[in-house]
Amino acid sequence: MTWFEMRPLLSQASWDTLYMVGWSTLIAVAAGLPIGVLLVLTARGGLLQNAVLSKMLGQLVNIARSMPFIILMVALMGFTRWLTGTTIGREAAIVPLAIGAIPFYARLVETAVREVDHGLVEAVQSMGGTTWAVVRKVLVPESLPSLVSSATTTIVTLIGYSAMAGTVGAGGLGDIAIREGFQRFETGLMWVTVAILAVVISVIQFLGDFAARALHDRGGRRGPAPALRLLRPRTPAKAAEVRDTADVA
């Protein structure tokens, strides 16, 4: 297969992949963020401490995360058909992609929010701040760089999931690689698809890292990280001070 024959297939497949991953990411972030914050708030010592709710929510997230994606797609076929009217195509693939990514992102959010300095939470509470004020003014803003990194990790994972979804008729680059490349012995097309996926993932990872660093430097988490200095040259005043101390001794 020549490049001119590959190009229309790859263009449509790339758009389908970005469409599925984009919508799935929006749904996963919109649902996973409050779940992750709620996991922190209801845990022991949290602002909304509730052992029963925390345990139930944690177990639900664990069960959803432990299920292999290919099995999740099959298990959700009835729900996907009820929701979208079909189990084939990019719209249908968004349903299992989003549901599979929600618990994944929720756990990443939980980890990011737990790293926020508890002293800031106490400061807002001492000024009469409500739980919602703590979440809105401290927990989310202070963990924003980590939340962006977590979203980047989720997007990269969803790209892998979308390639897997392509094996059951969801479309996208995974479908092209299997149906047009592997099954029709078009090895060149298959490797071009792999290369496109690698480039897309690299670009997304770069943009995500850049955004996280920019937020960190703007004070997303108490200002920029200090530079590590193994050897710090002494100033002349410091050196004279050390010499005077040695002479006195």
PDB file of all heavy atoms in Angstrom, residues 42-61:
ATOM      1  N   THR A  42     -13.687  12.267  52.966  1.00  0.00           N
ATOM      2  CA  THR A  42     -14.386  11.288  53.803  1.00  0.00           C
ATOM      3  C   THR A  42     -13.448  10.309  54.491  1.00  0.00           C
ATOM      4  O   THR A  42     -13.904   9.487  55.286  1.00  0.00           O
ATOM      5  CB  THR A  42     -15.393  10.489  52.956  1.00  0.00           C
ATOM      6  OG1 THR A  42     -14.699   9.832  51.874  1.00  0.00           O
ATOM      7  CG2 THR A  42     -16.465  11.399  52.389  1.00  0.00           C
ATOM      8  N   ALA A  43     -12.152  10.392  54.213  1.00  0.00           N
ATOM      9  CA  ALA A  43     -11.194   9.486  54.851  1.00  0.00           C
ATOM     10  C   ALA A  43     -11.015   9.854  56.319  1.00  0.00           C
ATOM     11  O   ALA A  43     -11.486  10.902  56.787  1.00  0.00           O
ATOM     12  CB  ALA A  43      -9.854   9.554  54.122  1.00  0.00           C
ATOM     13  N   ARG A  44     -10.318   8.992  57.049  1.00  0.00           N
ATOM     14  CA  ARG A  44     -10.084   9.256  58.473  1.00  0.00           C
ATOM     15  C   ARG A  44      -9.316  10.565  58.642  1.00  0.00           C
ATOM     16  O   ARG A  44      -8.279  10.778  58.035  1.00  0.00           O
ATOM     17  CB  ARG A  44      -9.297   8.109  59.085  1.00  0.00           C
ATOM     18  CG  ARG A  44      -9.006   8.300  60.570  1.00  0.00           C
ATOM     19  CD  ARG A  44      -8.224   7.132  61.115  1.00  0.00           C
ATOM     20  NE  ARG A  44      -8.964   5.883  61.002  1.00  0.00           N
ATOM     21  CZ  ARG A  44      -8.468   4.695  61.374  1.00  0.00           C
ATOM     22  NH1 ARG A  44      -7.244   4.623  61.868  1.00  0.00           N
ATOM     23  NH2 ARG A  44      -9.205   3.607  61.243  1.00  0.00           N
ATOM     24  N   GLY A  45      -9.826  11.442  59.460  1.00  0.00           N
ATOM     25  CA  GLY A  45      -9.211  12.744  59.674  1.00  0.00           C
ATOM     26  C   GLY A  45      -9.613  13.784  58.660  1.00  0.00           C
ATOM     27  O   GLY A  45      -9.169  14.933  58.740  1.00  0.00           O
ATOM     28  N   GLY A  46     -10.467  13.417  57.680  1.00  0.00           N
ATOM     29  CA  GLY A  46     -10.904  14.359  56.667  1.00  0.00           C
ATOM     30  C   GLY A  46     -11.967  15.307  57.181  1.00  0.00           C
ATOM     31  O   GLY A  46     -12.545  15.121  58.249  1.00  0.00           O
ATOM     32  N   LEU A  47     -12.254  16.324  56.400  1.00  0.00           N
ATOM     33  CA  LEU A  47     -13.229  17.333  56.811  1.00  0.00           C
ATOM     34  C   LEU A  47     -14.641  16.768  56.862  1.00  0.00           C
ATOM     35  O   LEU A  47     -15.489  17.287  57.597  1.00  0.00           O
ATOM     36  CB  LEU A  47     -13.179  18.525  55.848  1.00  0.00           C
ATOM     37  CG  LEU A  47     -11.840  19.260  55.758  1.00  0.00           C
ATOM     38  CD1 LEU A  47     -11.931  20.399  54.764  1.00  0.00           C
ATOM     39  CD2 LEU A  47     -11.412  19.782  57.130  1.00  0.00           C
ATOM     40  N   LEU A  48     -14.916  15.745  56.070  1.00  0.00           N
ATOM     41  CA  LEU A  48     -16.228  15.097  56.062  1.00  0.00           C
ATOM     42  C   LEU A  48     -16.083  13.627  56.440  1.00  0.00           C
ATOM     43  O   LEU A  48     -16.660  12.755  55.797  1.00  0.00           O
ATOM     44  CB  LEU A  48     -16.884  15.225  54.677  1.00  0.00           C
ATOM     45  CG  LEU A  48     -17.133  16.638  54.143  1.00  0.00           C
ATOM     46  CD1 LEU A  48     -17.676  16.580  52.729  1.00  0.00           C
ATOM     47  CD2 LEU A  48     -18.089  17.400  55.056  1.00  0.00           C
ATOM     48  N   GLN A  49     -15.322  13.366  57.453  1.00  0.00           N
ATOM     49  CA  GLN A  49     -14.991  11.987  57.819  1.00  0.00           C
ATOM     50  C   GLN A  49     -16.246  11.115  57.905  1.00  0.00           C
ATOM     51  O   GLN A  49     -17.186  11.395  58.642  1.00  0.00           O
ATOM     52  CB  GLN A  49     -14.257  11.970  59.160  1.00  0.00           C
ATOM     53  CG  GLN A  49     -13.866  10.570  59.605  1.00  0.00           C
ATOM     54  CD  GLN A  49     -13.025  10.593  60.860  1.00  0.00           C
ATOM     55  OE1 GLN A  49     -12.253  11.523  61.075  1.00  0.00           O
ATOM     56  NE2 GLN A  49     -13.162   9.570  61.686  1.00  0.00           N
ATOM     57  N   ASN A  50     -16.218  10.039  57.110  1.00  0.00           N
ATOM     58  CA  ASN A  50     -17.337   9.093  57.084  1.00  0.00           C
ATOM     59  C   ASN A  50     -16.766   7.733  56.686  1.00  0.00           C
ATOM     60  O   ASN A  50     -16.514   7.485  55.500  1.00  0.00           O
ATOM     61  CB  ASN A  50     -18.418   9.548  56.097  1.00  0.00           C
ATOM     62  CG  ASN A  50     -19.674   8.706  56.177  1.00  0.00           C
ATOM     63  OD1 ASN A  50     -19.629   7.492  56.283  1.00  0.00           O
ATOM     64  ND2 ASN A  50     -20.826   9.369  56.108  1.00  0.00           N
ATOM     65  N   ALA A  51     -16.542   6.881  57.654  1.00  0.00           N
ATOM     66  CA  ALA A  51     -15.859   5.613  57.412  1.00  0.00           C
ATOM     67  C   ALA A  51     -16.625   4.734  56.432  1.00  0.00           C
ATOM     68  O   ALA A  51     -16.026   4.095  55.549  1.00  0.00           O
ATOM     69  CB  ALA A  51     -15.653   4.879  58.737  1.00  0.00           C
ATOM     70  N   VAL A  52     -17.950   4.683  56.565  1.00  0.00           N
ATOM     71  CA  VAL A  52     -18.758   3.813  55.695  1.00  0.00           C
ATOM     72  C   VAL A  52     -18.707   4.293  54.248  1.00  0.00           C
ATOM     73  O   VAL A  52     -18.432   3.517  53.324  1.00  0.00           O
ATOM     74  CB  VAL A  52     -20.215   3.770  56.193  1.00  0.00           C
ATOM     75  CG1 VAL A  52     -21.079   2.947  55.235  1.00  0.00           C
ATOM     76  CG2 VAL A  52     -20.276   3.177  57.593  1.00  0.00           C
ATOM     77  N   LEU A  53     -18.958   5.579  54.047  1.00  0.00           N
ATOM     78  CA  LEU A  53     -18.937   6.127  52.689  1.00  0.00           C
ATOM     79  C   LEU A  53     -17.551   6.024  52.070  1.00  0.00           C
ATOM     80  O   LEU A  53     -17.401   5.678  50.895  1.00  0.00           O
ATOM     81  CB  LEU A  53     -19.401   7.584  52.714  1.00  0.00           C
ATOM     82  CG  LEU A  53     -19.410   8.313  51.366  1.00  0.00           C
ATOM     83  CD1 LEU A  53     -20.317   7.608  50.377  1.00  0.00           C
ATOM     84  CD2 LEU A  53     -19.836   9.765  51.551  1.00  0.00           C
ATOM     85  N   SER A  54     -16.520   6.310  52.847  1.00  0.00           N
ATOM     86  CA  SER A  54     -15.155   6.245  52.353  1.00  0.00           C
ATOM     87  C   SER A  54     -14.789   4.825  51.903  1.00  0.00           C
ATOM     88  O   SER A  54     -14.200   4.624  50.836  1.00  0.00           O
ATOM     89  CB  SER A  54     -14.181   6.724  53.428  1.00  0.00           C
ATOM     90  OG  SER A  54     -12.850   6.631  52.979  1.00  0.00           O
ATOM     91  N   LYS A  55     -15.171   3.852  52.715  1.00  0.00           N
ATOM     92  CA  LYS A  55     -14.851   2.462  52.376  1.00  0.00           C
ATOM     93  C   LYS A  55     -15.623   1.994  51.160  1.00  0.00           C
ATOM     94  O   LYS A  55     -15.072   1.346  50.265  1.00  0.00           O
ATOM     95  CB  LYS A  55     -15.151   1.562  53.561  1.00  0.00           C
ATOM     96  CG  LYS A  55     -14.636   0.144  53.390  1.00  0.00           C
ATOM     97  CD  LYS A  55     -14.724  -0.641  54.687  1.00  0.00           C
ATOM     98  CE  LYS A  55     -14.103  -2.028  54.515  1.00  0.00           C
ATOM     99  NZ  LYS A  55     -14.156  -2.812  55.775  1.00  0.00           N
ATOM    100  N   MET A  56     -16.905   2.333  51.086  1.00  0.00           N
ATOM    101  CA  MET A  56     -17.720   1.928  49.936  1.00  0.00           C
ATOM    102  C   MET A  56     -17.202   2.563  48.651  1.00  0.00           C
ATOM    103  O   MET A  56     -17.070   1.891  47.622  1.00  0.00           O
ATOM    104  CB  MET A  56     -19.179   2.329  50.176  1.00  0.00           C
ATOM    105  CG  MET A  56     -19.892   1.503  51.228  1.00  0.00           C
ATOM    106  SD  MET A  56     -21.596   2.066  51.491  1.00  0.00           S
ATOM    107  CE  MET A  56     -22.264   1.917  49.844  1.00  0.00           C
ATOM    108  N   LEU A  57     -16.910   3.854  48.707  1.00  0.00           N
ATOM    109  CA  LEU A  57     -16.423   4.558  47.527  1.00  0.00           C
ATOM    110  C   LEU A  57     -15.053   4.029  47.112  1.00  0.00           C
ATOM    111  O   LEU A  57     -14.790   3.834  45.910  1.00  0.00           O
ATOM    112  CB  LEU A  57     -16.350   6.053  47.824  1.00  0.00           C
ATOM    113  CG  LEU A  57     -16.132   6.992  46.636  1.00  0.00           C
ATOM    114  CD1 LEU A  57     -17.257   6.840  45.633  1.00  0.00           C
ATOM    115  CD2 LEU A  57     -16.063   8.437  47.114  1.00  0.00           C
ATOM    116  N   GLY A  58     -14.188   3.770  48.095  1.00  0.00           N
ATOM    117  CA  GLY A  58     -12.868   3.234  47.781  1.00  0.00           C
ATOM    118  C   GLY A  58     -12.942   1.858  47.157  1.00  0.00           C
ATOM    119  O   GLY A  58     -12.217   1.558  46.192  1.00  0.00           O
ATOM    120  N   GLN A  59     -13.816   0.999  47.666  1.00  0.00           N
ATOM    121  CA  GLN A  59     -13.960  -0.343  47.105  1.00  0.00           C
ATOM    122  C   GLN A  59     -14.518  -0.292  45.690  1.00  0.00           C
ATOM    123  O   GLN A  59     -14.095  -1.057  44.811  1.00  0.00           O
ATOM    124  CB  GLN A  59     -14.871  -1.187  47.998  1.00  0.00           C
ATOM    125  CG  GLN A  59     -14.251  -1.613  49.310  1.00  0.00           C
ATOM    126  CD  GLN A  59     -13.038  -2.507  49.111  1.00  0.00           C
ATOM    127  OE1 GLN A  59     -12.954  -3.288  48.174  1.00  0.00           O
ATOM    128  NE2 GLN A  59     -12.058  -2.360  49.994  1.00  0.00           N
ATOM    129  N   LEU A  60     -15.467   0.601  45.462  1.00  0.00           N
ATOM    130  CA  LEU A  60     -16.037   0.746  44.120  1.00  0.00           C
ATOM    131  C   LEU A  60     -14.979   1.181  43.116  1.00  0.00           C
ATOM    132  O   LEU A  60     -14.901   0.650  41.995  1.00  0.00           O
ATOM    133  CB  LEU A  60     -17.180   1.760  44.158  1.00  0.00           C
ATOM    134  CG  LEU A  60     -17.955   1.969  42.851  1.00  0.00           C
ATOM    135  CD1 LEU A  60     -18.639   0.682  42.431  1.00  0.00           C
ATOM    136  CD2 LEU A  60     -18.979   3.092  43.012  1.00  0.00           C
ATOM    137  N   VAL A  61     -14.143   2.126  43.517  1.00  0.00           N
ATOM    138  CA  VAL A  61     -13.066   2.595  42.640  1.00  0.00           C
ATOM    139  C   VAL A  61     -12.053   1.475  42.395  1.00  0.00           C
ATOM    140  O   VAL A  61     -11.588   1.269  41.263  1.00  0.00           O
ATOM    141  CB  VAL A  61     -12.370   3.828  43.255  1.00  0.00           C
ATOM    142  CG1 VAL A  61     -11.091   4.170  42.504  1.00  0.00           C
ATOM    143  CG2 VAL A  61     -13.317   5.021  43.247  1.00  0.00           C
TER     144      VAL A  61
END
